[in-house]
Amino acid sequence: EAGVAQSPRYKIIEKRQSVAFWCNPISGHATLYWYQQILGQGPKLLIQFQNNGVVDDSQLPKDRFSAERLKGVDSTLKIQPAKLEDSAVYLCASSLYGRNTEAFFGQGTRLTVV
Amino acid sequence: GESVGLHLPTLSVQEGDNSIINCAYSNSASDYFIWYKQESGKGPQFIIDIRSNMDKRQGQRVTVLLNKTVKHLSLQIAATQPGDSAVYFCAENMGAKETSGSRLTFGEGTQLTVNP
C-alpha cells in the first residue's frame, strides 16, 4: 500500500513570497489533515478535511494560509505572504472515515523562510 | 530508564534495557490515544494506539498503559535497540463529533537515545 505522498520535500523562500505544498493521501482515506511542526515541538493541526469539506480549520491563520481539497482526494496548502515564523515542517496525514482511526503521515515539506 | 515527558524531554538508555516514556494528556474527555515515533527527517510513524475503555495494550516489544484517573499515558519499550532512537510523541483525540475523524493533539515529545 502506497503511503501519503508530499511534495516538495524542501523549499526555501524569502519572506512575503508565496508557497504551495501538495499532498496525495492513501487511496480510500476520506479524512486528510495538514499539520505544522516547528523544530523541537509536536505537530499542530492546521486544517482537517472530510472528503472535500472542511471539518476543522480553527487553528489555520486564515489571513495568510489557505487549503483546498478538490474532488476529495489531493490537497494543496498555500501560504501567502510567508513570514519568518512560518519556517517549519508541514505534514500531511490521512485516515479512514470515522472516529478514532489511525492517522498515517507523509514525510513532510521542510519550509525555510529567509 | 524513565522520562516524564515535558519535564524530562530526553531519555538515554543502554541497548537491551527497557524504556518507559511518559505523557500527561490534557482532556479528560479524550477517548483515543496514539503513540508515534519520529525519526529525523521523517514524518511520525504509528507505534500503538489505545482506546479509553482499556488500561493496557501490548504490541511487539511495546506496551501502552493508560491511567484515566490521573490522565497519564506511558509507552514501554522492551529490550531497547539502537533503531529505537527517535522522538516519541503521544497524541490524544480531542474530536467530539462522529464525523470529525481523529483530531489529534500532540504532546511535546521525548527524545530517546539508545547507547550501544
Side-chain angles (χ1 to χ4, degrees), chain A residues 9 31 33 35 37 40-43 45 48 50 55-56 58-59 91 97-103 105-107, chain B residues 29 31-32 34 36 38 41-44 46 49 51 89 93 95-104 106-108:
Chain A
R9 286 280 284 132
T31 307
Y33 317 78
Y35 283 84
Q37 186 174 25
Q41 298 181 16
L45 180 68
Q48 180 176 344
Q50 192 81 22
V55 173
D56 185 342
S58 58
Q59 298 191 90
L91 295 161
Y97 177 86
R99 185 167 168 66
N100 293 343
T101 53
E102 175 189 345
F105 284 80
Q107 292 205 67
Chain B
D31 60 357
Y32 180 58
I34 303 179
Y36 281 94
Q38 188 173 28
K42 297 185 178 180
F46 174 91
D49 60 2
R51 286 169 168 72
F89 292 99
N93 183 11
K97 302 176 183 177
E98 174 57 37
T99 57
S100 66
S102 295
R103 188 194 186 285
L104 297 175
F106 283 76
E108 291 302 311

Side-chain angles (χ1 to χ4, degrees), chain B residues 3-67:
Chain B
S3 84
V4 287
L6 288 175
H7 302 292
L8 290 173
T10 62
L11 175 64
S12 184
V13 301
Q14 290 298 121
E15 181 178 359
D17 286 352
N18 295 332
S19 301
I20 300 175
I21 301 172
N22 295 298
C23 175
Y25 63 92
S26 59
N27 189 346
S28 57
S30 294
D31 60 357
Y32 180 58
F33 305 87
I34 303 179
W35 279 100
Y36 281 94
K37 171 186 180 183
Q38 188 173 28
E39 296 174 281
S40 181
K42 297 185 178 180
Q45 176 187 0
F46 174 91
I47 301 173
I48 191 167
D49 60 2
I50 188 167
R51 286 169 168 72
S52 59
N53 61 351
M54 303 172 70
D55 298 324
K56 178 180 179 179
R57 189 165 188 222
Q58 288 184 296
Q60 187 176 14
R61 285 202 304 119
V62 295
T63 300
V64 56
L65 299 177
L66 175 62
N67 185 331

Side-chain angles (χ1 to χ4, degrees), chain A residues 47-60:
Chain A
I47 189 167
Q48 180 176 344
F49 292 93
Q50 192 81 22
N51 296 311
N52 60 352
V54 175
V55 173
D56 185 342
D57 63 357
S58 58
Q59 298 191 90
L60 187 73

